[in-house]
C-alpha cells in the first residue's frame, strides 16, 4: 500500500510539474462560452474572408466554380482536405475515408465551403476548436493546431504566415475583450460604399415586412468604420468592431501593426474601409442585454509593491448599478467597490473606471496569489454576474 | 459563557487578509466540513491530520482522497495513515488548481498611454495561464500517558502563472481525554512560516491556533463539538454528528462563515463522506465536497 501511495505522490508531482508550466495563448474559451458569440464570430470572419481577404489575396481567393482551371492555394488545400473536387451539393456523403473536411450542408455551395473551411481552419490553428469538437462533429477532423499541421499542412502554412500581399491572420482569436471606441448611436455621416450597397439591400430584404431600418449605430476602429442598423443589437456591432480590431492589431499593442500593413489589411477586411454587421443573429436585444458582460482586468498580473493598480473593463448593455467584490481563495473578502447606475463605471457602453491597488479595505497590501473579482450588474433588464481572476505578484 | 465566546469571536474578527497561502484555510477533510470545519478535538479519526497532527495516532490504517471546488478553484487531497501501538505516521499532499487566468499588460504604446481610456482598450491580452499549489506533509503522533501529541512538517510549492514560491511550515497538536470529554489544541505554521518567491519577495504565513472540546451524548450516538480557530480572524465553530446506525452518520455545523451539512456512509472498509457548505460571504456560496476512504486495521 505504501508503494502505491508513493507512486501516486510521484505521479502527481510529475503531473504537476508538467501542468503548471502550461501557458496557452488561446484560452479565451470561457469568454466565448460566456458570450455565446461564436455565431457572430463566424458571420464576421465570413464577411472578412469573402469581401476582403478573398478579393485581395491570390493565395486565399475563393473560387465559385468547382471546375475552374486556376484555383488559389487555399482552394486546392480544401479540395485535398475534402478528398474530392465534385460540387458539394451532389453526393454529399460520398467523401473518401481519408477526408478531413466533409461538410454535408446542402445549402452550402462551393464558395460557401471555402469560407467555412477558412473559419474552421482559423479556429483550429488558434487552438479554439480543441475544446469544442462536439460542435464540428460530422464535418471536421483537425481540431488542434498540431492536427492541422499534420493533416492540412498547406492550409496551416497559409493561416500562420504572412501572405505575399503582407496580410497576416490573427494570432489570437478575437475574444470579445478587445474593445474599440465606445459606440455612438448616431447616424453615420459618410456614404456607404456602392460596392456594399448590395449587401445592405440583401440584409434589408431578409428582414421581410419590417420597415427599412435606419443605420443608427456607428463606431470606428483604426479609422475603419463599423455601422449597424437599428435592428442589430448594439453588442453585435461592438463585437464586429472587436473582431476587426483584433484582426488588424495582431501584435496586441493597441495600434495596428504598421501603417503599411494596415492599409493592406483594411483592404483585406472590406475592400472599401467599411465593414457591415451581418444581420444573421436571431437573438433579441433584450437577450443580449441580459447576458453577463465579460470583465477583463489589466495589467494582470500586477505589482502593487511598486504602486501598480489593475483596471477592470467591461461593456454594459444598459445603465447599471455595479458591485465588485474581490475574494481571496479561502473566501475572505478583501476589497469591494460600487458604482451607481448611469454614473462613471455604471454607464451604458464601455467602462474602465474601477481599479484596485492591491490593498484590502484596511489598507494592507494583500499577499501574492490569485484573487477573484465578482461583479454584479443590475439594470432595468435584471441582474447578471460576471467575474475575472486577478493575479497579484510583488 | 457562550454569549461571551460569541462576542469575543466577533470582536476579534477583522476583514481582509495579507497572509500568504490563504487557500490553506479551506477545510480539506470532508467529515469536518460537514460540521463547519470543526476538527481539532474529535477523537478516533486521523483524517483531521490537516488541522491537528495528534489525530494520527487515534485513527486507523488507511488511504483517503478528497475533492471539492471553491471560488473557481479545484482542490484535491490524499493522505495515507499507518498506526502502530504507540505511534503513527501520516503522509499526504494537497493540490489546488485554478486555470483560465487571462494575462494582460498595459499597452506600451506612448500614443495610447495619453489616450482617454474610453477611446481605446487599456489592456493587451497576452494569453492565459494557471495557478497551482502543492502542499506535501509528513506527520507523526505519539501516545503519551497524559495525552496524544503530534507534529507535522509541510512543504508548499506554488506556481503563480509561471512565478514560483515555496515555504516550509511546522504544525503541532494534542488530544487528551478527561471524563466524557475530549480536548484538543493545535498550532499550524508554528512560529510563522515564510513563503519565498523567486524574485526574492518573502511573505509570511501567520500561525493558526485552534482549541476545542467534544463529547458524546445520547448513549454515544450524538457527537457534539465546539472550537475556536484564530489566525488573522477568529472563527467559532459548533458541530454535531448523529450516528444513525453503524453505517450512516448525519452531520451539521455552524460557524461565523458557513452553515454546513454532511453525510457519512461506511461500508465494510470503505467510507464515503459528502458535505454541503453554504458560505454566507460568497456569491457562488454552495460548496460540495466528497471524500472516499479505504480503512483497515
Amino acid at each position: 500500500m505504501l508503494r502505491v501511495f508513493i507512486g501516486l505522490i510521484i505521479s502527481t508531482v510529475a503531473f504537476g510539474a508538467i501542468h503548471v508550466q502550461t501557458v496557452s495563448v488561446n484560452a479565451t474559451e470561457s469568454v466565448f462560452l460566456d458570450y455565446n458569440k461564436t455565431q457572430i464570430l463566424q458571420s464576421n470572419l465570413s464577411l472578412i474572408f469573402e469581401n476582403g481577404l478573398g478579393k485581395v489575396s491570390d493565395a486565399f481567393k475563393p473560387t465559385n466554380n468547382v471546375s475552374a482551371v486556376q484555383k488559389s492555394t487555399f482552394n486546392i488545400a480544401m479540395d485535398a482536405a475534402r478528398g474530392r473536387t465534385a460540387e458539394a451539393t451532389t453526393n454529399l456523403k460520398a467523401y473518401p475515408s481519408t477526408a478531413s473536411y466533409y461538410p454535408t450542408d446542402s445549402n452550402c455551395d462551393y464558395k460557401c465551403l471555402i469560407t467555412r473551411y477558412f473559419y474552421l481552419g482559423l479556429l483550429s490553428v488558434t487552438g479554439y476548436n480543441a475544446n469544442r469538437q462536439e460542435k464540428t462533429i460530422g464535418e471536421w477532423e483537425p481540431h488542434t493546431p498540431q492536427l492541422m499541421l499534420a493533416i492540412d499542412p498547406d492550409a496551416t502554412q497559409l493561416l500562420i504566415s504572412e501572405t505575399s500581399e503582407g496580410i497576416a491572420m490573427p494570432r489570437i482569436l478575437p475574444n470579445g475583450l478587445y474593445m474599440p471606441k465606445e459606440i455612438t448611436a448616431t447616424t453615420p455621416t459618410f456614404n456607404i460604399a456602392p460596392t456594399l450597397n448590395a449587401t445592405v439591400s440583401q440584409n434589408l430584404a431578409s428582414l421581410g415586412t419590417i420597415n427599412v431600418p435606419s443605420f443608427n449605430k456607428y463606431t470606428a476602429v483604426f479609422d475603419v468604420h463599423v455601422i449597424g442598423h437599428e435592428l442589430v443589437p448594439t453588442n453585435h456591432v461592438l463585437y464586429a468592431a472587436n473582431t476587426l480590431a483584433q484582426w488588424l492589431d495582431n501584435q496586441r499593442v493597441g495600434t495596428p501593426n504598421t501603417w503599411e500593413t494596415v492599409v493592406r489589411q483594411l483592404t483585406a477586411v472590406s475592400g472599401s474601409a467599411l465593414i457591415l454587421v451581418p444581420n444573421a443573429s436571431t437573438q433579441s436585444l433584450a437577450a443580449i442585454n441580459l447576458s453577463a458582460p465579460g470583465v477583463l482586468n489589466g495589467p494582470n498580473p500586477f505589482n502593487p509593491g511598486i504602486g501598480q493598480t489593475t483596471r477592470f473593463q467591461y461593456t454594459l448593455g444598459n445603465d447599471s448599478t455595479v458591485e465588485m467584490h474581490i475574494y481571496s481563495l479561502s473566501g475572505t473578502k478583501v476589497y469591494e467597490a460600487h458604482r451607481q447606475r448611469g454614473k462613471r463605471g455604471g454607464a451604458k457602453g464601455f467602462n474602465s473606471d474601477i481599479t484596485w491597488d492591491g490593498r484590502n479595505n484596511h489598507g494592507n497590501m494583500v499577499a501574492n496569489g490569485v484573487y477573484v473579482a465578482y461583479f454584479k450588474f443590475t439594470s432595468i433588464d435584471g441582474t447578471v454576474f460576471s467575474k475575472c481572476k486577478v493575479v497579484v505578484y510583488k | 459563557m457562550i454569549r461571551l465566546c460569541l462576542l469575543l469571536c466577533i470582536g476579534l474578527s477583522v476583514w481582509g487578509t495579507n497572509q500568504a497561502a490563504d487557500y490553506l484555510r479551506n477545510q480539506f477533510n470532508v467529515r469536518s466540513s460537514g460540521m463547519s470545519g470543526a476538527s481539532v478535538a474529535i477523537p478516533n479519526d486521523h483524517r483531521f491530520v490537516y488541522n491537528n497532527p495528534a489525530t494520527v495516532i487515534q485513527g486507523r490504517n488507511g488511504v483517503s482522497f478528497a475533492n471539492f471546488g471553491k471560488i473557481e478553484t479545484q482542490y484535491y487531497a490524499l493522505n495515507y495513515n499507518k498506526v502502530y501501538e504507540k505511534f503513527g505516521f501520516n503522509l499526504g499532499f494537497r493540490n489546488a488548481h485554478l486555470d483560465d487566468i487571462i494575462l494582460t499588460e498595459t499597452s506600451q504604446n506612448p500614443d495610447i498611454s495619453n489616450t482617454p481610456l474610453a477611446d481605446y482598450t487599456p489592456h493587451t491580452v497576452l494569453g492565459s495561464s494557471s495557478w497551482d499549489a502543492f502542499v506535501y506533509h509528513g506527520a507523526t503522533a505519539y501516545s503519551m500517558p497524559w495525552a496524544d501529541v503530534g507534529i507535522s512538517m509541510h512543504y508548499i510549492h506554488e506556481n503563480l502563472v509561471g512565478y514560483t514560491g515555496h515555504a516550509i511550515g511546522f504544525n503541532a497538536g494534542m488530544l487528551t481525554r478527561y471524563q466524557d470529554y475530549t480536548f484538543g489544541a493545535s498550532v499550524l505554521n508554528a512560529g510563522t512560516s515564510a513563503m519565498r518567491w523567486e524574485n526574492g519577495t518573502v511573505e509570511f504565513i501567520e500561525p493558526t491556533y485552534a482549541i476545542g472540546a467534544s463529547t458524546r451524548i445520547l448513549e454515544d450516538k450524538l457527537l457534539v463539538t465546539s472550537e475556536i480557530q484564530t489566525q488573522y480572524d477568529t472563527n467559532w465553530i459548533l458541530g454535531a454528528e448523529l450516528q444513525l446506525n453503524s453505517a450512516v452518520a448525519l452531520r451539521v455545523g455552524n460557524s461565523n462563515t458557513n452553515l454546513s451539512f454532511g453525510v457519512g456512509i461506511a461500508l465494510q472498509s470503505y467510507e464515503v463522506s459528502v458535505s454541503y457548505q453554504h458560505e454566507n460571504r460568497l456569491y457562488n456560496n454552495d460548496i460540495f465536497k466528497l471524500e472516499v476512504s479505504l480503512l483497515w486495521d
Side-chain angles (χ1 to χ4, degrees):
Chain A
M1 181 55 73
L2 182 59
R3 287 179 185 174
V4 173
F5 178 72
I6 292 172
L8 278 170
I9 291 278
I10 292 171
S11 62
T12 305
V13 172
F15 167 76
I18 295 168
H19 191 76
V20 296
Q21 291 173 8
T22 301
V23 177
S24 65
V25 295
N26 63 310
T28 46
E29 168 87 5
S30 59
V31 175
F32 271 121
L33 294 178
D34 285 349
Y35 274 9
N36 193 21
K37 284 179 173 171
T38 47
Q39 273 196 321
I40 308 171
L41 177 68
Q42 182 178 354
S43 299
N44 291 339
L45 288 182
S46 298
L47 191 69
I48 288 172
F49 181 76
E50 290 182 1
N51 294 306
L53 184 65
K55 288 184 178 176
V56 300
S57 168
D58 290 333
F60 280 94
K61 192 172 289 182
T63 308
N64 273 325
N65 188 348
V66 68
S67 58
V69 176
Q70 287 193 329
K71 292 181 178 179
S72 67
T73 308
F74 197 68
N75 231 149
I76 295 169
M78 185 194 72
D79 282 343
R82 294 172 64 233
R84 57 180 283 186
T85 55
E87 283 286 355
T89 50
T90 59
N91 298 322
L92 282 177
K93 296 186 178 178
Y95 291 101
S97 60
T98 54
S100 57
Y101 175 47
Y102 37 90
T104 56
D105 182 358
S106 58
N107 294 320
C108 194
D109 61 18
Y110 192 70
K111 186 179 179 182
C112 161
L113 285 181
I114 304 170
T115 304
R116 184 152 181 80
Y117 181 61
F118 170 77
Y119 167 72
L120 291 172
L122 193 60
L123 261 60
S124 285
V125 166
T126 51
Y128 180 58
N129 266 342
N131 294 322
R132 57 187 296 275
Q133 298 182 17
E134 74 282 3
K135 301 288 186 186
T136 56
I137 285 176
E139 69 168 322
W140 186 251
E141 291 287 353
H143 293 102
T144 64
Q146 293 77 11
L147 281 174
M148 272 295 288
L149 195 58
I151 297 175
D152 274 0
D154 292 340
T156 305
Q157 200 60 40
L158 284 171
L159 290 169
I160 64 176
S161 308
E162 194 172 89
T163 70
S164 59
E165 296 85 8
I167 302 165
M169 303 303 117
R171 289 186 302 114
I172 303 172
L173 210 61
N175 57 15
L177 293 173
Y178 186 101
M179 281 301 171
K181 293 177 69 172
E182 183 176 356
I183 194 166
T184 54
T186 57
T187 304
T189 55
F190 55 88
N191 294 320
I192 297 174
T195 52
L196 290 170
N197 260 333
T199 308
V200 175
S201 302
Q202 194 176 350
N203 280 346
L204 295 180
S206 69
L207 297 174
T209 57
I210 299 176
N211 293 331
V212 174
S214 61
F215 289 85
N216 63 349
K217 290 163 185 168
Y218 162 70
T219 189
V221 183
F222 307 136
D223 295 325
V224 183
H225 304 293
V226 182
I227 65 170
H229 55 68
E230 62 186 6
L231 298 176
V232 176
T234 303
N235 281 13
H236 289 200
V237 182
L238 274 174
Y239 192 67
N242 190 303
T243 306
L244 180 62
Q246 292 197 351
W247 184 279
L248 295 176
D249 180 16
N250 287 338
Q251 303 301 320
R252 304 297 182 99
V253 293
T255 55
N257 300 350
T258 66
W259 184 246
E260 185 183 11
T261 308
V262 167
V263 172
R264 288 172 173 162
Q265 289 187 334
L266 289 182
T267 308
V269 166
S270 68
S272 61
L274 187 146
I275 184 171
L276 288 175
V277 180
N279 185 38
S281 175
T282 56
Q283 288 179 283
S284 70
L285 190 58
I288 289 292
N289 283 341
L290 276 174
S291 66
V295 179
L296 182 68
N297 75 292
N300 199 34
F302 77 109
N303 183 355
I306 58 170
Q308 268 190 336
T309 61
T310 193
R311 182 177 294 276
F312 298 88
Q313 67 178 45
Y314 45 85
T315 299
L316 300 174
N318 266 320
D319 289 349
S320 306
T321 301
V322 179
E323 291 179 33
M324 180 190 73
H325 301 267
I326 299 178
Y327 289 90
S328 70
L329 294 184
S330 73
T332 303
K333 186 192 291 182
V334 297
Y335 186 73
E336 69 178 49
H338 301 263
R339 292 295 182 271
Q340 293 181 332
R341 182 177 298 174
K343 306 289 186 183
R344 283 175 64 102
K348 179 180 179 180
F350 179 73
N351 290 273
S352 61
D353 183 57
I354 297 179
T355 61
W356 184 38
D357 62 0
R359 294 178 182 275
N360 63 26
N361 280 353
H362 292 280
N364 299 320
M365 199 173 294
V366 302
N368 288 350
V370 184
Y371 297 82
V372 180
Y374 288 96
F375 282 79
K376 181 181 180 182
F377 302 101
T378 305
S379 70
I380 55 173
D381 299 317
T383 299
V384 292
F385 297 90
S386 194
K387 64 191 174 235
C388 69
K389 298 156 189 168
V390 184
V391 178
V392 172
Y393 186 66
K394 303 187 291 289
Chain B
M1 185 63 184
I2 290 176
R3 287 179 186 174
L4 183 62
C5 277
L6 275 173
L7 286 173
L8 181 65
C9 296
I10 294 168
L12 287 173
S13 295
V14 294
W15 198 37
T17 172
N18 56 358
Q19 298 291 307
D22 177 72
Y23 50 89
L24 287 176
R25 289 165 56 85
N26 291 312
Q27 181 55 257
F28 286 79
N29 175 260
V30 180
R31 184 182 174 203
S32 169
S33 297
M35 295 184 280
S36 284
S39 56
V40 78
I42 301 174
N44 306 325
D45 193 341
H46 65 270
R47 289 166 294 187
F48 296 113
V49 61
Y50 306 117
N51 290 70
N52 186 351
T55 58
V56 168
I57 188 64
Q58 294 198 0
R60 300 170 66 188
N61 301 326
V63 177
S64 297
F65 174 78
N67 167 239
F68 63 94
K70 179 179 177 181
I71 312 183
E72 320 304 322
T73 308
Q74 278 296 316
Y75 292 89
Y76 304 92
L78 180 67
N79 77 71
Y80 167 78
N81 200 65
K82 178 69 176 174
V83 180
Y84 297 95
E85 185 176 350
K86 287 290 184 182
F87 79 101
F89 69 88
N90 187 291
L91 298 173
F93 78 92
R94 286 165 280 176
N95 168 231
H97 175 75
L98 188 156
D99 55 16
D100 287 339
I101 301 169
I102 298 177
L103 306 182
T104 63
E105 64 180 11
T106 302
S107 173
Q108 300 301 308
N109 188 302
D111 295 333
I112 293 297
S113 63
N114 294 323
T115 304
L117 290 173
D119 289 345
Y120 289 97
T121 173
H123 314 321
T124 297
V125 176
L126 302 174
S128 75
S129 188
S130 60
W131 166 79
D132 273 280
F134 292 89
V135 183
Y136 306 92
H137 79 252
T140 185
Y142 297 86
S143 185
M144 305 284 196
W146 51 276
D148 291 339
V149 296
I151 56 172
S152 69
M153 184 179 83
H154 57 259
Y155 170 73
I156 302 171
H157 175 85
E158 279 193 46
N159 186 310
L160 177 64
V161 297
Y163 304 109
T164 57
H166 60 90
I168 294 177
F170 297 91
N171 311 320
M174 58 83 67
L175 278 170
T176 188
R177 189 168 179 84
Y178 179 73
Q179 295 182 350
D180 293 331
Y181 296 90
T182 299
F183 297 93
S186 71
V187 54
L188 309 180
N189 294 295
T192 304
S193 303
M195 173 72 80
R196 301 179 190 279
W197 294 91
E198 64 179 65
N199 65 354
T201 299
V202 179
E203 298 177 321
F204 297 101
I205 311 172
E206 295 294 332
T208 300
Y209 301 98
I211 186 167
S214 69
T215 187
R216 287 190 176 275
I217 56 177
L218 301 179
E219 298 178 341
D220 288 349
K221 288 183 178 177
L222 182 65
L223 170 77
V224 180
T225 183
S226 178
E227 70 184 68
I228 289 177
Q229 298 172 353
T230 179
Q231 191 189 34
Y232 50 79
D233 57 5
T234 301
N235 197 16
W236 181 65
I237 304 168
L238 187 61
E241 180 183 64
L242 177 64
Q243 195 73 44
L244 288 182
N245 51 47
S246 61
V248 180
L250 303 179
R251 296 154 191 154
V252 64
N254 189 43
S255 74
N256 298 27
T257 59
N258 67 69
L259 174 66
S260 302
F261 302 94
V263 177
I265 298 174
L267 295 172
Q268 297 180 337
S269 296
Y270 295 94
E271 281 191 22
V272 177
S273 287
V274 293
S275 71
Y276 163 77
Q277 288 184 303
H278 180 82
E279 287 263 1
N280 51 29
R281 301 173 297 184
L282 304 176
Y283 281 140
N284 54 345
N285 46 20
D286 297 316
I287 299 165
F288 295 92
K289 300 183 182 181
L290 170 69
E291 184 176 55
V292 180
S293 301
L294 173 61
L295 305 171
W296 64 90
D297 294 320

